[in-house]
Amino acid sequence: EEAGAPAVGETHKCIVRRVLCVLLLLDRAKETTVLEADPCLFCPDSTIKSTRQMAIEFARSFLSGGIGDLAKHLAYMDAPLAHAQTAHHEFNFTVQSLATDLRDGARLCRLLEVLEVASAPSGGAAALRLTPSLRLPAVNRTSKLKNVEIALRAMEAAGAPLLRHPPDLHGCAKLLIEGHCEATLELLWSLICHVALPRLAPVGIVLDEARRARRTANTDFAPAAPDGAEQPAAVAALLCWVQSVAAVYRLRLSDLTGGLRDGRGLLALVHFYVPEALGDGFDARAELGLQRPAGAEELLLEELEAGQWLRPVEGDTGRAAEAEARKAAKRRLSLVASSLHALGGVPQLLIAADAVETGPDEAVAAVLLAHLFARVMELSTQTRA
């Protein structure tokens, strides 16, 4: 036993040294956010919530000789333990219901942080930090109001306008914490149009691609002015782009809803940039309407281009033509879905059922087109490289 005592002592020193190295490593990893997801270091129900407290508890339980405050000794050796887990780290930012989960403002702030981090050229160096200033947990109306106002100020700074009614920040924040459905959706759409879409599809690059497509089509095509209220710049640019590419195939698209429901506009986009994604058996002339059928179905297809889908039909011929056109539209949209799956990086937001009703919602179509534009531009860059 006496002969083995020095070896046991060295083993104990080695164990202590390794434990402290692991503790310092975890502390530095959390302070520098090594992992993008940034998970919690300690369990939420743990009584220990900081690396300093962990070092003190380790010294108290396993070291003897009156060592004192181990964290203080490490600080003297230029190895301080700084990480402390707070309610901000333990908060669950998962969104499960738009009706309730955005009322406290925390998830809205986190959404803005994610969008800013995604657009920062140097990763997290220019990241927007809003969550450290939040009041969490937000258990009362005052805390929720403060959190929502932080998010709304960040939205204004990012260029996203607030609600039209009420236009002031405080009134908008009150509607959000009360769970007002229309106000919540309008605010999210503003965030998508003015923050998310320009990150995916910069307006200048989209318009350059539209001009290139018009040169390919050898036409002086001028996009139609949007109906109703003025469209956001990002949405208008995407509409101009899809109209310009469709002009290459002699297709007319009036908007992002009715113009995309028969699938030909989206097929034109995929065929123009990545025709191999549609397979070897794809017949562009037939699927894109370059060889139109005659008779009643020809009339129906022209009405679809003008934005008329569900119309009264008379006689068996009209009903049969309408059924045939819907069947063809569903086939095209299914082909679009399979090609987008092959491309990767584009969410499946459009389904074949959209061919039956009034077409995809403008917001859904704009998000889909923005992801598709970002993906084809990435593929084009890789091809040129």
Side-chain angles (χ1 to χ4, degrees):
E1 291 183 1
E2 293 181 359
V8 172
E10 291 299 322
T11 302
H12 289 174
K13 291 179 182 179
C14 180
I15 293 174
V16 172
R17 185 165 57 250
R18 290 183 178 179
V19 168
L20 295 180
C21 286
V22 169
L23 198 58
L24 287 168
L25 174 65
L26 294 176
D27 183 86
R28 294 298 182 272
K30 284 297 297 181
E31 289 300 298
T32 56
T33 317
V34 172
L35 299 180
E36 185 177 355
D38 197 21
C40 291
L41 184 58
F42 303 97
C43 294
D45 56 352
S46 173
T47 57
I48 299 176
K49 295 297 180 71
S50 68
T51 50
R52 182 180 184 278
Q53 188 180 0
M54 185 72 183
I56 294 174
E57 187 65 26
F58 172 74
R60 181 184 297 115
S61 302
F62 299 102
L63 302 181
S64 59
I67 193 171
D69 190 343
L70 181 58
K72 185 179 294 186
H73 293 299
L74 292 174
Y76 289 149
M77 299 169 62
D78 199 21
L81 298 174
H83 176 67
Q85 184 169 300
T86 64
H88 296 82
H89 299 98
E90 298 174 356
F91 189 84
N92 183 9
F93 290 97
T94 304
V95 177
Q96 297 179 343
S97 172
L98 292 178
T100 57
D101 291 346
L102 300 181
R103 294 185 180 185
D104 59 3
R107 294 170 180 85
L108 198 57
C109 287
R110 181 58 183 159
L111 176 60
L112 284 162
E113 287 182 347
V114 171
L115 290 174
E116 290 296 328
V117 167
S119 63
S122 56
L128 181 68
R129 301 299 298 170
L130 298 176
T131 50
S133 57
L134 295 176
R135 293 182 181 179
L136 295 176
V139 295
N140 53 51
R141 185 181 177 87
T142 303
S143 298
K144 294 179 181 179
L145 190 63
K146 180 182 181 299
N147 294 344
V148 172
E149 288 179 350
I150 291 174
L152 295 182
R153 290 191 186 95
M155 280 187 60
E156 287 184 318
L162 303 182
L163 302 178
R164 292 187 295 269
H165 303 288
D168 63 296
L169 186 143
H170 186 73
C172 179
K174 288 176 63 178
L175 288 179
L176 283 182
I177 65 175
E178 291 169 1
H180 193 276
C181 179
E182 289 78 7
T184 302
L185 293 178
E186 182 182 346
L187 199 70
L188 289 176
W189 177 233
S190 175
L191 190 59
I192 290 172
C193 287
H194 297 90
V195 180
L197 291 186
R199 267 66 170 177
L200 283 171
V203 174
I205 300 178
V206 174
L207 295 178
D208 288 342
E209 278 298 307
R211 285 189 287 268
R212 187 176 75 87
R214 290 198 294 274
R215 288 195 299 269
T216 303
N218 193 21
T219 179
D220 294 330
F221 163 78
D227 298 330
E230 183 181 357
Q231 287 181 316
V235 179
L238 289 170
L239 176 59
C240 177
W241 173 58
V242 69
Q243 286 176 329
S244 302
V245 175
V248 178
Y249 301 89
R250 301 196 300 276
L251 300 176
R252 300 190 303 271
L253 300 179
S254 57
D255 52 38
L256 293 182
T257 53
L260 297 180
R261 63 184 155 208
D262 69 343
R264 288 185 295 164
L266 291 171
L267 278 179
L269 286 174
V270 177
H271 187 266
F272 185 75
Y273 288 98
V274 279
E276 62 274 10
L278 296 172
D280 297 333
F282 178 74
D283 187 353
R285 297 184 64 83
E287 293 292 352
L288 295 175
L290 301 183
Q291 290 178 336
R292 302 281 180 83
E297 189 173 355
E298 168 69 16
L299 178 62
L300 179 62
L301 287 172
E302 290 183 358
E303 290 180 350
L304 295 182
E305 291 177 350
Q308 301 175 12
W309 179 269
L310 298 177
R311 62 177 182 87
V313 294
E314 297 180 359
D316 295 337
T317 303
R319 292 189 180 91
E322 184 177 6
E324 184 64 25
R326 289 185 175 185
K327 181 179 178 180
K330 287 184 178 181
R331 184 184 67 252
R332 295 189 197 101
L333 290 178
S334 298
L335 184 57
V336 168
S338 61
S339 63
L340 295 183
H341 179 73
L343 286 178
V346 182
Q348 298 288 344
L349 300 178
L350 199 63
I351 58 176
D354 289 321
V356 180
E357 303 298 336
T358 57
D361 181 76
E362 182 185 51
V364 173
V367 173
L368 173 65
L369 290 175
H371 279 89
L372 179 58
F373 180 85
R375 182 57 177 155
V376 296
M377 289 298 101
E378 180 184 3
L379 292 175
S380 300
T381 303
Q382 292 175 358
T383 301
R384 287 193 296 268

